[in-house]
Amino acid sequence: MEHAISLFVRSIFADNMIFAFFLGMCSYLAVSKDVKTAAGLGVAVIFVQTITLPINYLLQVYVLTPLGLGYLSFILFIAVIAAIVQLVEMVVEKFSPTLYNSLGIFLPLIAVNCAIMGGSLFMQQRVLLDAENVKAIANLGDAFAFAIGSGLGWMLAIVALAGIREKMEYNDVPKPLQGIGITFITVGLMALAFMCFSGLNI
Amino acid sequence: MLSKNTKEAFLNPLNLNNPVLVQILGICSALAVTVQLKPALVMGVSVTIIVALSNVVISLIRKSIPMRIRIIVQLVVVAALVTIVSEILKAFAYDVAMQLSVYIGLIITNCILMGRLEAFAMTNSPMESLMDGLGNGLGYAAILIIVAFFRELLGSGKLLGYQIIPESWYITNGGWYENCGMMLMPAMALILVGCVIWIHRSINEEKK
């Protein structure tokens, strides 16, 4: 239990998907123009991450490793992610039209969000670590903790950037640097600030 | 041999329509693998090969892919190619493959691939798609190499693992120079790419 909580907190701050690994950068930069849409995409990422990562964990531990099919993991993981995204889209549309309307446009985008695929690939590496290691994913509970944590960390990052970009509209930025250039530098500075969590030990 | 369209498909992404600087695609891996020049080179070459081949494959079967499931078809083609490249790297360049770790697998979700497949290969002939893929891959590799060049030179005083800054300059050897440790941090990759975009835009604006 303690291990799962530590994993959860670390994956939000110290191992933040955006600031430590640059995963999911494309949609991160494209959809961070206002806070409301950013939060919508963030929720969708948490949602899909929490479903796909444990499924991929079960596949990795109970199917791929015993059968020695490790080299098929890329194809299998991406197929699971694409299928789950499609499934989630249909289920949400059927049972909660309001949620569908707010998430709707983002759900298909998520299939190619590197944060989701990256989460599964990190899980694949971390399964191999020994249980003592703080980063190890030893059971299904850990996989859930890592999934929710990394999703939350991603959402935190995108909402924070959207907030800053909304304010930055009014700043006088050199012309060639406007738009995407200054956004990169802002994210760089935010990443520097997040470095202070890297010493975090729980 | 090359028609005008094919030539444009190859040359445009190298500068004016660069995938990283202008279309802002494929940023994740561009930032993560640039601490040293060698992994950046390997990554650039791998992406170029995969983009070019997947563009050709998708372009060949573009007329028989049902619209509704095209994303899954594209992902499976790309995933198969990435698996092949990853196995080859593990066999012939094991240490680089370990350094690149998950980022090789992440080529599957690299937005450059999906972007080019959707925007170009689905509507163009195999030959044009091949050139478009090569152009985009090389445009991406060029940015990787620029960023990695500065990060490795300033961060550890080396290029491709060879010491460039003379040992006698270092403070530890009685000199005046010290490596800029900041360059090795992930954050500096973002700031460097920001600066490259700045320079690229101001040069291209003068041309207009």
Side-chain angles (χ1 to χ4, degrees), chain A residues 79-93:
Chain A
V80 166
I81 291 169
I84 294 285
V85 167
Q86 200 100 65
L87 204 70
V88 165
E89 201 183 340
M90 290 192 299
V91 170
V92 172
E93 191 180 7

Side-chain angles (χ1 to χ4, degrees), chain A residues 19-26 29 71 74-75 78 82 86 111-114 117-118 121-122 125 174-178 180-181 184-185 187-189 191-192 195, chain B residues 24-28 31-32 72 75 79-80 82-83 86-87 101-103 105-106 108-109 111 114 182 185-187 189-191 193-195 197-198 201-202 205:
Chain A
F19 297 129
F21 303 113
F22 312 113
L23 297 180
M25 245 347 183
C26 308
L29 293 171
Y71 58 88
F74 292 166
I75 297 187
I78 198 71
Q86 200 100 65
V112 286
N113 188 320
C114 343
M117 184 68 181
L121 292 175
F122 276 124
Q125 286 187 337
K175 194 146 178 292
L177 200 57
Q178 269 169 17
I180 205 68
F184 265 100
I185 293 177
V187 180
L189 295 176
L192 272 186
M195 300 282 303
Chain B
I24 319 293
L25 296 176
I27 308 288
C28 326
L31 298 169
I72 297 185
L75 281 175
V82 171
T83 308
S86 152
E87 294 294 311
S101 76
V102 297
Y103 293 100
L106 283 174
I108 299 172
T109 49
C111 336
M114 295 308 289
M182 279 265 282
M185 290 179 182
L190 285 160
I191 295 177
V193 174
C195 295
I197 290 177
W198 188 0
R201 292 227 168 143
S202 44
E205 245 160 50

Side-chain angles (χ1 to χ4, degrees), chain B residues 14 25-26 29 38 42 53 70 77 114 120 159 171-174 185 188 206:
Chain B
L14 289 182
L25 296 176
S29 48
K38 200 173 161 201
V42 173
L53 288 182
R70 66 182 194 286
V77 169
M114 295 308 289
F120 202 90
L159 281 180
I171 286 186
T172 43
N173 297 337
M185 290 179 182
M188 281 314 286
E206 272 169 29

Side-chain angles (χ1 to χ4, degrees), chain B residues 6-69:
Chain B
T6 332
K7 212 171 157 189
E8 256 173 26
F10 178 67
L11 289 179
N12 253 351
L14 289 182
N15 181 19
L16 284 180
N17 203 11
N18 189 290
V20 180
L21 299 183
V22 182
Q23 307 172 43
I24 319 293
L25 296 176
I27 308 288
C28 326
S29 48
L31 298 169
V33 300
T34 49
V35 177
Q36 287 169 343
L37 204 49
K38 200 173 161 201
L41 272 173
V42 173
M43 189 71 180
V45 173
S46 318
V47 169
T48 310
I49 294 172
I50 294 171
V51 165
L53 288 182
S54 60
N55 252 1
V56 172
V57 173
I58 290 293
S59 166
L60 282 173
I61 57 171
R62 69 183 187 278
K63 285 181 185 131
S64 49
I65 303 177
M67 267 324 248
R68 275 195 74 82
I69 58 157

Side-chain angles (χ1 to χ4, degrees), chain A residues 129-140:
Chain A
L129 298 172
D130 35 309
E132 298 299 304
N133 198 312
V134 277
K135 289 182 174 181
I137 291 178
N139 51 44
L140 194 58

